[in-house]
Amino acid sequence: MSIIVKKFNIIAGDKTYIPGDEINCLDEKEEKRLVAAGYCEYPTGIKKSSKSTNKKQLAGDSTGDSGPNTGHPLAGDE
């Protein structure tokens, strides 16, 4: 199973995890200890996306457009 870092930095193996990171390389006993201490939590519902997710996907823009057309003249500039 995996846990998500909630507070502080957690060092597991050769890597340091910061709040929001998912750790999946620990044994069950260590996971329970970190959750009981309040440093981590078990994931609920939607899993956190990988770091490669771009900002457009997070904003819900699946068309690839860069945004609305704002090239029209402002009032008074006509």
Side-chain angles (χ1 to χ4, degrees):
M1 190 173 224
S2 64
I3 55 175
I4 303 215
V5 179
K6 191 165 108 176
K7 296 181 183 177
F8 309 113
N9 292 345
I10 306 289
I11 298 172
D14 296 343
K15 189 171 179 185
T16 300
Y17 297 89
I18 60 173
D21 284 349
E22 183 176 346
I23 305 174
N24 54 13
C25 62
L26 300 176
D27 62 3
E28 187 176 344
K29 182 179 178 182
E30 185 67 11
E31 286 179 359
K32 286 182 180 181
R33 186 186 72 79
L34 290 170
V35 170
Y39 302 138
C40 297
E41 61 189 1
Y42 291 107
T44 58
I46 301 172
K47 289 183 73 173
K48 183 182 173 198
S49 300
S50 67
K51 292 182 181 182
S52 64
T53 303
N54 66 33
K55 292 179 183 179
K56 286 183 185 177
Q57 289 174 328
L58 293 176
D61 184 4
S62 61
T63 61
D65 294 336
S66 61
N69 181 1
T70 58
H72 57 83
L74 298 175
D77 289 342
E78 297 175 353

